[in-house]
Structure formats: C-alpha cells, structure tokens
Amino acid sequence: MWVVGCDKCGDTGYRGRTGVHELLLGTHELQNMIYQRASLEDMKEQCILDGMRTLKQDGIEKIFNGLTDYEQLLRIIAE
C-alpha cells in the first residue's frame, strides 16, 4: 500500500484544514437587482460578472495548488 502522508495528517498528505470560500461583494448592480427582486440565478450571474468566485472555483484552484483533492471538494459542494 502506498502511503501519501504521515501520522500527523492521518495519511492524507494534508496538514491541518484548508477553507474553501465564496466571497460576495455588494456592488451597486447587485443592490439594484435585490431591490428589483431579480431571480436568484440572475443575481448569481451578476455576482460572477462582478468577480465573485464560487465555492467550486475556489476548490478547484486549491486542488491545482495541492491543498486538497477532488474527493474532499465533492464532500463540501453540492449542485
């Protein structure tokens, strides 16, 4: 059996915990959409246009940086 990690990381190859984040900035465009009671899908689209990264996007970047793996990402995101 090939072991990636050590006793400190439970043989996972990861030490400690890494957060996966989604940050929403309140722009004027988004504020207007809220006042107009726009659909959630339209607001999400505007947020992405305004530069928001989704949980999935942040998780994928962390996979590429070696901070987590695909199975761990699947545990925290749902569509």
Side-chain angles (χ1 to χ4, degrees):
M1 180 174 147
W2 186 58
V3 179
V4 180
C6 61
D7 290 338
K8 290 181 181 178
C9 68
D11 295 325
T12 63
Y14 306 112
R15 183 174 174 207
R17 293 183 181 246
T18 299
V20 178
H21 304 93
E22 184 172 82
L23 177 63
L24 171 65
L25 299 175
T27 63
H28 291 291
E29 292 83 3
L30 181 59
Q31 185 178 23
N32 289 335
M33 292 179 84
I34 293 169
Y35 288 141
Q36 296 169 6
R37 297 179 184 245
S39 72
L40 184 58
E41 192 59 39
D42 288 343
M43 285 192 271
K44 182 177 179 181
E45 185 177 313
Q46 181 63 48
C47 291
I48 291 171
L49 289 173
D50 291 340
M52 181 187 85
R53 285 189 2 198
T54 65
L55 283 174
K56 183 187 278 186
Q57 290 169 327
D58 190 50
I60 290 170
E61 181 179 330
K62 288 178 176 156
I63 290 170
F64 286 134
N65 290 330
L67 298 173
T68 191
D69 59 37
Y70 185 67
E71 289 79 22
Q72 295 297 316
L73 180 60
L74 286 178
R75 291 179 57 208
I76 61 168
I77 62 171
E79 288 199 41

